[in-house]
């Protein structure tokens, strides 16, 4: 079976984590990172969310995403649990069965922009980057399509453009990074009519969240989700019900993803530094095989076209000959019919005309 260029580059990149024999491979990051001092984030308070989907609409607009199958004011979509897709960076779900008399409860889902992103740790070409301002961004120009990021993400957020055969991308929320660096708010935050979303410095958001919990302990769970989960995230959550009841994982712990993988990767001997040589040979063989297959297909197609052309010409000639014969037969039939009709008419004329003797007798009688 042949391999694609993208698959080969993926293998090559994996093999090239180290380049010299005797050294060891390391994860993209194996040091705990506490976040950039001025890092921004978003605080989502589900006690204020009314499930209006305005955040979805705002996200769709500012990111110029395709229009959804059903309009944003169609709230019946909340009857089905949804997840993010390549065409929807954020979604709101409704939860009826919760331990609160204020049901239903709504929860917003999007990329959490981890302080130490699992997607970036798993990506050997560094297509993902944690920016100083808070967002985890993606560079499609270096992505090889391995989709390890999708497997690594504990929140199951990155999605893939499977419907684009030649230029697929990994798609997820960008925290509106292009807007934020211009001093604008993320699209979802700007669109929220109930202030369920608050944008600002992560440290400030933690203080705001903590103050709300202290002032209204009966309203909130005594925890800010994302403060420490998986080493911390830039997207933070307040909830009036246990987080597990609104579809959020509570089994992640506080250890960052890179720290979980660095030990295993550091033990891989860099004999794999020789892999590029082997894979280059494999790639060359496969490329030659692909070229031969392509040439054979071209010859087969050309031969089939030639046979089809010859068959078409033969059928056309037969059809023309048949048409000629039918035309001649039709003309001959028409001529014969005309001659028969003319002869019949002449016979009838002769029968109706008086004979010479009858005319003579008629003349004598008149005299």
């Amino acid at each position: 079976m042949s391999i694609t260029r993208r698959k080969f580059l993926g293998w090559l990149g994996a093999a090239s984590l180290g380049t010299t024999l005797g050294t060891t491979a390391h994860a993209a990051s194996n040091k705990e990172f506490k976040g950039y001092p001025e890092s921004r984030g978003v605080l989502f308070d589900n006690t204020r969310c009314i499930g209006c989907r305005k955040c979805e609409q705002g996200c769709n607009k500012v990111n110029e995403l395709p229009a959804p199958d059903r309009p944003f004011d169609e709230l019946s979509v909340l009857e089905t649990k949804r997840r993010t897709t390549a065409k929807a960076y954020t979604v709101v779900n409704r939860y009826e069965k919760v331990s609160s008399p204020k049901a239903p409860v709504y929860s917003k889902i999007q990329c959490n922009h981890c302080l130490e992103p699992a997607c970036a740790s798993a990506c050997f070409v560094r297509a993902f980057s944690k920016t100083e301002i808070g967002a985890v961004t993606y560079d499609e120009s270096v992505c090889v399509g391995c989709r390890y990021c999708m497997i690594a993400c504990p929140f199951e957020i990155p999605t893939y453009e499977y419907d684009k055969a030649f230029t697929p991308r990994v798609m997820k929320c960008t925290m509106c990074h292009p807007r934020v660096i211009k001093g604008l708010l993320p699209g979802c935050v700007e669109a929220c009519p109930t202030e369920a979303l608050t944008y600002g410095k992560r440290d400030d958001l933690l203080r705001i969240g903590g103050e709300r919990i202290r002032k209204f302990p009966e309203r909130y769970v005594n925890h800010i989700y994302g403060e420490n989960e998986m080493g911390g995230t830039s997207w933070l959550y307040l909830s009036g019900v246990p987080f597990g009841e609104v579809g959020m994982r509570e089994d992640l712990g506080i250890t960052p993803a890179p720290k979980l993988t660095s030990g295993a990767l550091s033990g891989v001997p860099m004999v794999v530094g020789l892999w590029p040589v082997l894979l280059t040979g494999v790639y060359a063989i496969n490329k030659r095989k692909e070229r031969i297959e392509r040439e054979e297909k071209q010859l087969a197609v050309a031969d089939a076209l030639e046979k089809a052309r010859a068959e078409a010409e033969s059928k056309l000639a037969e059809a023309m000959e048949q048409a000629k014969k039918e035309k001649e037969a039709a003309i001959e039939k028409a001529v014969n019919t005309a001659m028969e009709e003319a002869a019949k008419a002449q016979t009838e004329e002769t029968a109706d005309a008086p004979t010479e003797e009858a005319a003579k007798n008629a003349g004598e009688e008149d005299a």
Side-chain angles (χ1 to χ4, degrees):
M1 180 178 67
S2 61
I3 60 173
T4 63
R5 177 177 178 273
R6 171 168 280 191
K7 184 184 294 184
F8 170 73
L9 290 175
W11 289 352
L12 187 60
S16 299
L17 285 171
T19 55
T20 58
L21 189 64
T23 62
T24 56
H26 294 276
S29 172
N30 61 0
K31 296 180 180 180
E32 188 174 356
F33 177 61
K34 296 297 184 180
Y36 294 106
E38 298 297 312
S39 178
R40 304 296 201 273
V42 177
L43 175 66
F44 171 65
D45 187 340
N46 70 18
T47 69
R48 299 185 178 189
C49 182
I50 59 175
C52 64
R53 299 184 65 204
K54 293 294 184 183
C55 57
E56 293 185 33
Q57 186 174 14
C59 175
N60 179 276
K61 180 179 178 181
V62 300
N63 288 290
E64 299 180 347
L65 298 174
D69 295 334
R70 288 189 281 181
F72 290 106
D73 58 3
E74 176 56 71
L75 300 185
S76 64
V77 300
L78 298 175
E79 296 173 2
T80 303
K81 184 180 178 181
R82 299 175 296 152
R83 60 156 295 175
T84 57
T85 70
K87 299 177 182 178
Y89 293 169
T90 185
V91 296
V92 175
N93 284 322
R94 181 172 64 201
Y95 295 87
E96 304 278 359
K97 298 179 180 180
V98 293
S99 56
S100 170
K102 297 181 179 180
V105 175
Y106 300 93
S107 183
K108 182 179 182 296
I109 303 171
Q110 71 297 302
C111 175
N112 288 321
H113 299 276
C114 303
L115 299 186
E116 295 188 75
C119 55
S121 176
C123 182
F124 51 77
V125 295
R126 299 184 180 180
F128 288 93
S129 301
K130 178 67 176 181
T131 64
E132 292 187 9
I133 204 167
V136 175
T137 58
Y138 165 71
D139 183 358
E140 64 182 86
S141 67
V142 299
C143 178
V144 297
C146 67
R147 286 160 280 174
Y148 293 156
C149 55
M150 296 172 62
I151 300 172
C153 178
F155 303 106
E156 300 180 353
I157 293 299
T159 57
Y160 198 63
E161 291 182 313
Y162 290 103
D163 57 339
K164 293 187 177 181
F166 299 105
T167 57
R169 297 169 295 174
V170 175
M171 305 294 279
K172 73 172 192 66
C173 160
T174 64
M175 205 160 78
C176 289
H177 185 67
R179 286 173 56 85
V180 168
I181 60 178
K182 296 178 182 178
L184 301 174
L185 290 172
C188 59
V189 177
E190 187 176 70
C192 181
T194 62
E195 297 185 356
L197 297 166
T198 305
Y199 177 77
K201 291 184 180 180
R202 185 174 185 272
D203 290 341
D204 293 339
L205 296 176
L206 288 171
R207 282 193 290 270
I208 292 171
E211 184 62 23
R212 289 185 190 176
I213 293 173
R214 282 189 295 272
K215 289 181 69 174
F216 306 101
E218 74 287 349
R219 181 186 301 177
Y220 296 103
V221 173
N222 187 20
H223 178 61
I224 301 175
Y225 191 99
E227 181 177 8
N228 297 305
E229 277 76 9
M230 293 300 295
T233 62
S234 294
W235 211 280
L236 305 167
Y237 299 82
L238 291 177
S239 178
V241 298
F243 292 99
E245 294 184 7
V246 288
M248 302 179 72
R249 293 184 61 179
E250 297 182 295
D251 60 340
L252 297 176
I254 63 174
T255 305
K259 198 170 183 179
L260 294 172
T261 59
S262 60
L265 289 177
S266 64
V268 179
M270 280 324 298
V271 67
V272 297
L274 299 176
W275 285 11
V277 178
L278 172 62
L279 292 178
T280 299
V282 173
Y283 181 67
I285 292 172
N286 276 278
K287 290 300 291 183
R288 181 174 181 274
K289 181 180 178 181
E290 289 175 0
R291 178 177 58 80
I292 293 173
E293 289 177 351
R294 186 168 58 249
E295 291 174 354
E296 289 177 348
K297 288 180 180 178
Q298 290 174 348
L299 289 174
V301 169
D303 184 55
L305 289 174
E306 178 61 26
K307 289 181 179 179
R309 185 189 62 78
E311 185 177 352
E313 289 181 353
S314 175
K315 289 183 177 180
L316 178 61
E318 291 178 3
M320 291 179 66
E321 181 65 24
Q322 181 66 24
K324 181 180 178 182
K325 291 180 179 179
E326 290 176 355
K327 182 178 180 180
E328 291 176 351
I331 293 173
E332 183 179 357
K333 181 178 179 181
V335 170
N336 291 337
T337 301
M339 291 179 65
E340 290 175 358
E341 290 178 352
K344 182 178 179 181
Q346 185 176 7
T347 301
E348 291 176 352
E349 240 179 69
T350 303
D352 292 341
T355 61
E356 184 178 346
E357 183 178 354
K360 181 178 179 181
N361 292 335
E364 288 178 353
E365 288 177 1
D366 290 340

